[in-house]
Amino acid sequence: MSKGNMLIAQSGGPSMVINQSLVGAVLAARESAAVGKIYGALHGIQGILDERFIDLRKESRKTLEAVAVTPSSALGSVRRKPTAADCAAIFAVLRKLDVRYFFYIGGNDSAETVHIISEEAAKAGHALRCFHIPKTIDNDLRENDHTPGYGSAARFVACAVKGDDLDNRALGGVKIDVIMGRNAGFLTAAAALARDAADDGPHLVYLPERAFSIDGFVRDVKAAMKRYGRCVVAVSEGIADKDGTPVIAKFTQEVDSHGNVQLSGTGALGDLLAGVVKEKAGIKRVRADTFGYLQRSFPGIASATDAQEARLVGAAAVCAALRGDLPSGSVAIKRKPGKKYAVAFETVPLRSVAKETRHVPAAFINKAGNNVTQAFIDYARPLVGALPKCARLAQLKK
Amino acid sequence: MSKGNMLIAQSGGPSMVINQSLVGAVLAARESAAVGKIYGALHGIQGILDERFIDLRKESRKTLEAVAVTPSSALGSVRRKPTAADCAAIFAVLRKLDVRYFFYIGGNDSAETVHIISEEAAKAGHALRCFHIPKTIDNDLRENDHTPGYGSAARFVACAVKGDDLDNRALGGVKIDVIMGRNAGFLTAAAALARDAADDGPHLVYLPERAFSIDGFVRDVKAAMKRYGRCVVAVSEGIADKDGTPVIAKFTQEVDSHGNVQLSGTGALGDLLAGVVKEKAGIKRVRADTFGYLQRSFPGIASATDAQEARLVGAAAVCAALRGDLPSGSVAIKRKPGKKYAVAFETVPLRSVAKETRHVPAAFINKAGNNVTQAFIDYARPLVGALPKCARLAQLKK
């Protein structure tokens, strides 16, 4: 492989382990004689367009290791989908800097960005190895068993719901927890990992993969109140009615450049659902929390497995880029068959990861569409790891 | 001291360490020959009224130790202020059970409850040693340097804001974090512990101790945006205008039996403030998160100091009750003078803790009323402990 400069950037919503991928890629590149300069673009493609870079060879190993365990995107991030004009401008910069290896860490929107730039590079006859490094707490990338960032966010959600369920047990009533995940319910489903005993919450789990009906919801809550004397609900911010209209869409208009409605950073959905339960089920104590950005940025509680895989995925992308026999692509995590949890990393075509999202499989959702199955628990448990132990007084166990 | 039965219960909002106090009291009582039966009332005074008890001698030491590190109130909690009729009914139960030692773990409302019961017992000529064991994440009990539950909730808040500030650094704009604390701003102030560098957020901190003005808030946010290019705001759910009307009170009507307006379990205040910033400051990306119940119930991140003190406060209450020379009272945490952090436990009169709340002292709030001082940081740091280390790339430090 001929020697060339490298450029790496981070995109989309941050995660607790996205810096592991950055550091994994940078350290792998620094060990290769084929890589010249290592540019870190600030705020994703915006930093390329604005020519705002730092030299990632200048950062000490010690600093990089400290950054690796720090949540959020150390290079800064961006939510911007490049236009054709943007792409032309990006190539001009890459050519000027003699960049031959381009790495972009992000979700499916980012994979699409990499795909567009890769195709434009090919058209322009510029030899550029483009690799997408997966990252999304939503766990919604196709080709992947799961994605870096998910395990840690899922761990936050499971811990939060575990504590919240204990809180609800003490004071009663209905508690609604609104969890991130625009189109895919994997993160909301992780709330179910909070359960130890059969009567532990969450008692109801609503994912965007199933049509949400207010009447059905109220019926479910009443039934849970009758059965448990209380009710904890985990609900995705992305729940939509049978026509596919997000429940929250009636309350907000803001959209980003990918055309996505803003769902996070507002408590409107939780308040709406709490109001409905108060009114239609006649329950007095109803509370709602929206977990918000804490799910992707809380320091100190990352899943060890997630952190390790995020690091390896970054390194794997650099290794794949440096091999002459592999096309540009996206590094995907595949789970190996067998009882013991193990994964492998594979390069897959960019277009197979770009744009479209992966959804929670039907086998992970119960028939009534208001809970997850044991198959989901078995799938998610190794990604999240053991949760803090919580105990109840022996005489209060059912 | 003559032998008598003991009754203990938990009240008010749960905390991460309220079970430490329960276990501290129960284990101390189990070591004393003066204590007969140990009743645990379920859901506070409600459990006494309904005669719902468990036998706390039956729980194994192993179970109690596991419960001690579990968030929320293991016996269940209640928000109910006893009426005169309730008190008569409570005494009838206590007399029937030959209870001579009564312990109630809770905040200032709970101290008031203990005070009322203590006075009614005296009137009725029933020898009853009544002790309030302090607990409140709000840190607003008079006579106390700080209260069990605060350090852990403050630790959650500081960690959450630390991660959230990194998240905001990556994507920019304004982020508003709404933090618990009805009348006292101690928990909101703890957001400032998230800062390492001078340009770290939170850039603005609003406590209920200072009148909140929407215009002043918008001015502050604009100034922070100009200075930092972004802005993270920590704001108490209890902020009120110059007439003392809570900002949120315009949006909710629910009150509890102590006459308190419901502030938590809704995202309305955050959404209101975000809307104001978008509209009046013309900033596009504005997000709000309301930390909600996670602040008091998140498992696995309790402050070690807080957990230890909560345990000791429970034990100290039992020791004080068993001494014949001390009147009934509340156990208060006093900080010893000197550079090295150390505390002592003292019994103080119930009425000096009951009802009224302690506020953040003026020395802890800056002149502009939009931040905390170094004196607050020095006060709070030992209660919260060291936070997870986070790092920035060397070239991006200012």
Side-chain angles (χ1 to χ4, degrees):
Chain A
M1 200 72 198
S2 60
K3 187 154 177 166
N5 295 332
M6 159 174 163
L7 191 147
I8 188 165
Q10 297 171 307
S11 182
S15 85
M16 291 184 217
V17 299
I18 187 172
N19 291 334
Q20 291 280 8
S21 296
L22 173 70
V23 170
V26 169
L27 290 178
R30 277 163 41 156
E31 280 170 17
S32 166
V35 178
K37 290 184 176 167
I38 305 176
Y39 295 101
L42 305 185
H43 297 284
I45 56 164
Q46 192 64 50
I48 308 178
L49 290 166
D50 300 342
E51 300 191 41
R52 293 180 64 205
F53 306 110
I54 62 168
D55 178 354
L56 286 169
R57 287 199 178 275
K58 275 193 185 163
E59 297 290 332
S60 71
R61 172 124 200 175
K62 193 182 161 191
T63 296
L64 289 175
E65 290 294 352
V67 165
V69 298
T70 299
S72 188
S73 309
L75 290 171
S77 193
V78 70
R79 289 193 177 281
R80 177 173 175 156
K81 192 172 170 172
T83 62
D86 289 337
C87 287
I90 287 170
F91 294 134
V93 175
L94 295 178
R95 198 176 276 136
K96 189 170 76 179
L97 299 176
D98 193 29
V99 169
R100 301 291 165 171
Y101 306 105
F102 172 53
F103 301 94
Y104 207 33
I105 312 172
N108 57 327
D109 285 341
S110 303
E112 193 187 354
T113 298
V114 177
H115 182 53
I116 294 170
I117 290 178
S118 170
E119 295 215 316
E120 290 294 316
K123 270 189 241 166
H126 179 80
L128 182 67
R129 307 275 286 149
C130 293
F131 278 79
H132 168 247
I133 299 172
K135 174 280 328 173
T136 167
I137 65 166
D138 292 338
N139 200 34
D140 63 354
L141 291 189
R142 289 179 298 158
E143 297 277 359
N144 287 269
D145 175 75
H146 60 278
T147 53
Y150 172 65
S152 298
R155 186 175 177 77
F156 179 91
V157 167
C159 284
V161 172
K162 197 178 184 74
D164 203 41
D165 183 57
L166 289 159
D167 198 277
N168 176 262
R169 194 181 279 282
L171 281 169
V174 176
K175 181 66 199 303
I176 298 163
D177 290 328
V178 180
I179 298 166
M180 276 184 170
R182 183 179 302 280
N183 300 307
F186 289 103
L187 197 53
T188 303
L193 296 172
R195 294 181 201 132
D196 288 322
D199 61 342
D200 282 345
H203 308 102
L204 298 168
V205 181
Y206 298 100
L207 312 184
E209 281 81 0
R210 292 290 177 271
F212 185 87
S213 114
I214 292 284
D215 290 342
F217 168 61
V218 171
R219 248 193 329 269
D220 289 349
V221 169
K222 280 182 175 172
M225 285 297 288
K226 199 169 169 186
R227 184 165 178 186
Y228 303 107
R230 64 191 190 90
C231 180
V232 173
V233 182
V235 59
S236 167
E237 64 181 7
I239 49 163
D241 64 19
K242 62 181 169 39
D243 303 321
T245 309
V247 175
I248 190 62
K250 298 160 192 167
F251 299 87
T252 184
Q253 278 82 44
E254 193 172 334
V255 295
D256 68 13
S257 71
H258 294 271
N260 298 323
V261 174
Q262 185 214 331
L263 300 180
S264 302
T266 163
L269 179 62
D271 289 351
L272 164 77
L273 295 176
V276 160
V277 170
K278 278 183 199 177
E279 190 192 316
K280 298 203 175 186
I283 298 163
K284 203 181 160 201
R285 187 170 192 273
V286 185
R287 302 287 183 264
D289 276 329
T290 304
F291 290 176
Y293 292 100
L294 278 53
Q295 295 164 88
R296 68 189 195 194
S297 63
F298 202 89
I301 66 151
S303 149
T305 299
D306 188 32
Q308 187 186 32
E309 289 178 356
R311 173 74 75 108
L312 292 173
V313 146
V318 169
C319 292
L322 291 173
R323 279 176 58 175
D325 59 336
L326 290 172
S328 289
S330 177
V331 177
I333 300 182
K334 307 284 187 181
R335 191 182 302 217
K336 291 181 182 171
K339 281 219 156 183
K340 200 167 176 295
Y341 175 78
V343 298
F345 305 107
E346 275 178 26
T347 300
V348 299
L350 285 164
R351 80 176 63 84
S352 68
V353 178
K355 271 188 176 173
E356 282 174 54
T357 55
R358 183 170 73 106
H359 297 286
V360 176
F364 287 176
I365 310 174
N366 74 344
K367 210 175 165 188
N370 61 9
N371 221 318
V372 298
T373 61
Q374 185 59 39
F376 170 77
I377 302 288
D378 296 341
Y379 161 81
R381 187 77 74 191
L383 314 179
V384 169
L387 301 184
K389 288 261 176 255
C390 291
R392 288 158 68 188
L393 292 163
Q395 292 161 81
L396 295 178
K397 283 184 196 156
K398 289 233 169 90
Chain B
M1 201 70 200
S2 59
K3 186 154 176 168
N5 295 331
M6 160 174 162
L7 190 148
I8 188 164
Q10 297 172 307
S11 182
S15 85
M16 290 183 218
V17 299
I18 187 172
N19 291 334
Q20 291 280 6
S21 296
L22 173 70
V23 170
V26 169
L27 290 179
R30 276 163 44 156
E31 280 171 17
S32 166
V35 177
K37 289 183 176 167
I38 304 176
Y39 296 101
L42 305 186
H43 298 284
I45 54 164
Q46 192 65 51
I48 308 179
L49 290 167
D50 300 341
E51 301 192 39
R52 293 179 63 206
F53 306 110
I54 61 168
D55 177 356
L56 286 169
R57 286 200 179 274
K58 276 194 186 161
E59 297 290 333
S60 71
R61 172 125 201 173
K62 193 181 161 194
T63 296
L64 289 175
E65 291 294 352
V67 165
V69 298
T70 299
S72 189
S73 309
L75 291 172
S77 195
V78 70
R79 289 193 179 280
R80 176 174 175 157
K81 191 172 173 172
T83 61
D86 289 337
C87 286
I90 288 171
F91 295 133
V93 174
L94 296 178
R95 199 176 276 138
K96 188 170 76 180
L97 300 176
D98 192 29
V99 169
R100 301 291 165 172
Y101 305 105
F102 172 52
F103 301 94
Y104 206 34
I105 313 172
N108 57 328
D109 286 341
S110 303
E112 194 188 355
T113 298
V114 178
H115 182 52
I116 295 170
I117 290 178
S118 169
E119 296 215 316
E120 292 293 317
K123 270 189 240 165
H126 180 80
L128 183 66
R129 308 274 288 147
C130 293
F131 277 79
H132 168 246
I133 299 172
K135 174 280 329 175
T136 167
I137 66 166
D138 292 338
N139 201 34
D140 63 354
L141 290 190
R142 288 180 299 159
E143 297 278 359
N144 287 270
D145 176 76
H146 59 278
T147 53
Y150 172 65
S152 298
R155 187 175 175 78
F156 179 91
V157 167
C159 285
V161 173
K162 197 178 183 74
D164 203 41
D165 183 58
L166 289 159
D167 197 279
N168 176 263
R169 196 181 276 285
L171 281 168
V174 176
K175 180 68 200 299
I176 299 163
D177 290 327
V178 180
I179 297 166
M180 276 185 170
R182 183 180 300 280
N183 300 306
F186 289 103
L187 197 54
T188 302
L193 297 171
R195 292 180 201 134
D196 288 322
D199 62 341
D200 282 344
H203 308 102
L204 298 167
V205 182
Y206 298 100
L207 312 184
E209 281 80 0
R210 292 290 176 270
F212 185 86
S213 114
I214 292 283
D215 290 343
F217 168 60
V218 170
R219 251 195 325 272
D220 289 349
V221 169
K222 279 182 176 172
M225 285 297 290
K226 198 169 172 187
R227 183 164 178 187
Y228 303 106
R230 66 190 189 90
C231 180
V232 173
V233 181
V235 59
S236 167
E237 64 181 6
I239 49 162
D241 65 20
K242 63 181 167 43
D243 302 321
T245 308
V247 176
I248 190 61
K250 297 162 193 166
F251 299 88
T252 182
Q253 279 80 42
E254 194 172 335
V255 296
D256 68 13
S257 70
H258 295 270
N260 297 323
V261 174
Q262 186 215 330
L263 300 180
S264 302
T266 162
L269 179 62
D271 289 351
L272 165 78
L273 295 176
V276 162
V277 170
K278 278 184 198 176
E279 188 194 318
K280 297 202 175 186
I283 298 163
K284 203 182 159 199
R285 188 172 191 273
V286 185
R287 302 287 185 265
D289 276 329
T290 304
F291 290 176
Y293 293 100
L294 278 52
Q295 295 164 87
R296 68 187 194 193
S297 64
F298 202 88
I301 67 149
S303 149
T305 299
D306 187 32
Q308 188 185 32
E309 290 178 355
R311 173 74 76 110
L312 291 173
V313 145
V318 169
C319 292
L322 292 173
R323 279 175 59 175
D325 60 335
L326 289 172
S328 288
S330 176
V331 177
I333 301 182
K334 306 285 186 181
R335 192 182 302 217
K336 291 181 181 170
K339 281 219 158 182
K340 198 165 177 296
Y341 175 78
V343 296
F345 305 106
E346 276 178 27
T347 301
V348 298
L350 286 163
R351 81 177 62 84
S352 68
V353 178
K355 271 187 175 174
E356 282 175 54
T357 54
R358 184 170 73 104
H359 296 287
V360 176
F364 288 177
I365 309 173
N366 74 344
K367 211 174 162 187
N370 60 12
N371 221 319
V372 298
T373 61
Q374 185 59 39
F376 169 77
I377 302 288
D378 297 340
Y379 160 82
R381 187 76 75 192
L383 313 180
V384 170
L387 301 183
K389 289 261 175 255
C390 291
R392 287 159 67 189
L393 292 163
Q395 292 161 82
L396 296 178
K397 283 184 196 157
K398 288 231 170 94

